[in-house]
Amino acid sequence: MARLNLLTVLASTSLINTALAAYSLADSYTASNFFDSFIFFDGKDPTNGFVQYKDLKTAAKSGLIAIEGTGDNAAVYMGVDHKTKDPAGRASVRISSKKSYNHGLFLFDIEHNPGSICGTWPAFWLLSDSGKWPVGGEIDIFEGVNEQSDNKMTLHTTPGCLIKNTDFSGKVETANCDVNAPGQGANMGCGILYPKGKAHSYGKSMNAVGGGVYATMWTSQDIRVYYFPRSSIPKDITMGKPDPAKWGMPAAKFAAGCNIDQHFSGLNIIFNTAFCGDWAGDASVWDKSRCKAKAPTCKEYVQNNPEAFKDAYWMIRSVKVYQEGKTMGRRGEAGDAFAQIMPEMDMSLAEEMSRKDNSSNMLDEEGGPVSGMDNRADDAEDGFLVKRKWFTEAFRGWKTGIKCTFTGEKDACGYE
């Protein structure tokens, strides 16, 4: 049976760091902290919508926002006014996270969305805090208008960003992310439509299956969007250990023709439900939809049919943001089992210990103690004591993802 000495095990970490790289939870927005973590926008709608966005106090008082359920079943409710005929626009909410991000894995657990209703324009997205749109970029993760049935994922940028890759399952509608690109409508950006009729990605069909999880992975290399209906959410997500390498082909992937870091930075998470405006209310869009049969214009329909918007609400279980965690390595790095058991050790000391341990058989290939060996190795010359049993447990825990603590002689990694 092959043997591994201490130096071999420690040195080998440099070769497998990449394989062990994982995402660690950075921020979790749930019912317990959601409204405290977002800013309520109450200004004029930037997309010229027939909508009145309300501040936190007004939204709460008028029932536009609430927490429904308790404990693990609690969810965030964000709706719209569905009782009045206000000529100034229908009351709604638009919120932006207090924290901005540069890269990350964003998981949106959505139980219900406001889509597939004439006049609506719901979205959750990432928007730069630069204040000079589209400088800093915009990533539309979930968006649609009127009776749309499939989600549209879009990037909005300054010139120089294109979709040139094809390794995703969605359909490209526009390929130039520049909001002023020639040959595309104003502000369209580069858009990918979710595969038509598949996976209940938007609106009523998504609500019918209990919603699901949208995942957006933003790195220097690319931006990807995945969607998992409620019944198909990967176990690694539900366990809080998301692993995009196991998710297969994304619905959308923006890469190849875009320098991501040049075009995207300092993005905030935004949720909103708008009405009409530059997309849903545009005559060329409204007139070609079935909504035209309900009213001559989007504005007329939204103003005069409040009851139609009772189901135009978000029910959000959580929004979680993960960052690429530190990998296994030398002392001081989180989760490093070797650093836990040997906080003062460096590689030169490891080499010295390995040289003096002529048996070169501290651990076997299974990470277990070698038969016949003492459980302690005392290097008196260097004044360093290694408890072999503890080291063995650290190695086992490292291999299996179990966090080990070393406070006594008993097994510290959960093994009998």
Side-chain angles (χ1 to χ4, degrees):
M1 181 178 291
R3 308 296 185 188
L4 296 175
N5 66 15
L6 175 61
L7 176 59
T8 303
V9 173
L10 289 174
S12 67
T13 62
S14 63
L15 299 178
I16 57 180
N17 277 347
T18 301
L20 292 176
Y23 280 96
S24 58
L25 183 63
D27 295 292
S28 180
Y29 303 113
T30 63
S32 65
N33 67 348
F34 194 89
F35 293 127
D36 290 334
S37 303
F38 285 80
I39 297 170
F40 281 69
F41 173 79
D42 61 357
K44 184 181 184 298
D45 180 40
T47 61
N48 303 304
F50 184 65
V51 60
Q52 297 182 72
Y53 291 123
K54 301 301 181 180
D55 60 56
L56 172 60
K57 184 176 180 180
T58 304
K61 185 177 181 180
S62 57
L64 298 181
I65 62 171
I67 300 299
E68 296 199 357
T70 59
D72 293 340
N73 295 318
V76 175
Y77 169 89
M78 293 191 296
V80 303
D81 170 48
H82 52 85
K83 297 179 180 179
T84 63
K85 297 181 180 181
D86 193 329
R90 189 153 301 286
S92 181
V93 293
R94 170 173 167 155
I95 61 173
S96 176
S97 63
K98 294 179 180 178
K99 185 173 181 179
S100 62
Y101 297 91
N102 290 291
H103 299 170
L105 178 63
F106 301 79
L107 302 184
F108 299 82
D109 190 336
I110 309 298
E111 187 174 309
H112 189 280
N113 74 87
S116 300
I117 301 173
C118 289
T120 58
W121 182 357
F124 57 83
W125 37 306
L126 305 179
L127 178 67
S128 172
D129 57 7
S130 70
K132 298 179 180 180
W133 190 85
V135 174
E138 175 180 329
I139 304 172
D140 295 330
I141 302 164
F142 178 97
E143 186 179 29
V145 297
N146 300 325
E147 294 183 319
Q148 186 172 317
S149 58
D150 300 298
N151 182 40
K152 187 174 181 180
M153 301 149 285
T154 309
L155 303 187
H156 298 275
T157 70
T158 51
C161 190
L162 305 169
I163 300 176
K164 290 187 176 181
N165 56 300
T166 59
D167 48 341
F168 52 87
S169 60
K171 177 184 177 182
V172 176
E173 290 202 323
T174 49
N176 196 328
C177 309
D178 178 10
V179 298
N180 295 310
Q184 296 182 179
N187 302 329
M188 289 190 70
C190 52
I192 298 175
L193 191 67
Y194 199 90
K196 192 170 182 61
K198 295 184 179 180
H200 312 286
S201 65
Y202 179 87
K204 292 180 179 179
S205 65
M206 181 176 170
N207 294 336
V209 297
V213 170
Y214 267 93
T216 297
M217 186 171 73
W218 166 23
T219 69
S220 295
Q221 288 71 44
D222 55 55
I223 295 170
R224 309 180 189 191
V225 179
Y226 301 81
Y227 169 62
F228 308 103
R230 182 69 54 198
S231 62
S232 304
I233 299 173
K235 186 176 180 180
D236 55 276
I237 290 180
T238 60
M239 295 295 289
K241 298 180 180 180
D243 185 0
K246 298 179 180 179
W247 296 348
M249 183 176 289
K253 181 178 177 181
F254 303 90
C258 186
N259 184 323
I260 299 297
D261 288 344
Q262 178 181 325
H263 288 281
F264 297 91
S265 62
L267 304 190
N268 298 89
I269 301 167
I270 296 180
F271 280 85
N272 77 297
T273 303
F275 298 97
C276 304
D278 296 338
W279 186 8
D282 184 271
S284 65
V285 175
W286 183 263
D287 291 349
K288 293 179 181 178
S289 71
R290 296 187 303 176
C291 299
K292 174 72 172 180
K294 299 181 179 183
T297 66
C298 179
K299 180 178 177 180
E300 289 177 77
Y301 181 75
V302 172
Q303 178 180 339
N304 298 318
N305 296 277
E307 68 283 350
F309 304 103
K310 184 177 181 179
D311 288 335
Y313 66 88
W314 298 100
M315 193 69 75
I316 304 165
R317 291 191 178 185
S318 67
V319 176
K320 296 183 178 181
V321 183
Y322 290 80
Q323 299 291 346
E324 284 187 298
K326 293 181 178 181
T327 57
M328 303 288 294
R330 298 184 64 178
R331 68 175 183 265
E333 294 188 359
D336 186 342
F338 300 112
Q340 291 182 55
I341 189 169
M342 292 174 286
E344 301 303 324
M345 184 172 184
D346 60 23
M347 291 306 291
S348 62
L349 181 55
E351 292 173 1
E352 181 67 13
M353 290 180 65
S354 179
R355 182 179 62 80
K356 293 182 179 182
D357 187 0
N358 294 324
S359 60
S360 297
N361 58 3
M362 188 171 185
L363 298 173
D364 64 24
E365 62 184 2
E366 300 299 325
V370 178
S371 177
M373 292 299 295
D374 197 320
N375 277 343
R376 295 170 181 264
D378 189 357
D379 189 337
E381 181 178 344
D382 290 320
F384 189 84
L385 180 67
V386 175
K387 292 188 177 180
R388 291 182 187 269
K389 178 182 177 183
W390 289 359
F391 187 89
T392 300
E393 289 175 355
F395 186 62
R396 284 175 174 168
W398 164 60
K399 289 175 65 178
T400 59
I402 299 173
K403 185 176 181 179
C404 304
T405 57
F406 303 95
T407 58
E409 291 289 347
K410 65 183 296 183
D411 192 329
C413 291
Y415 294 96
E416 296 295 335

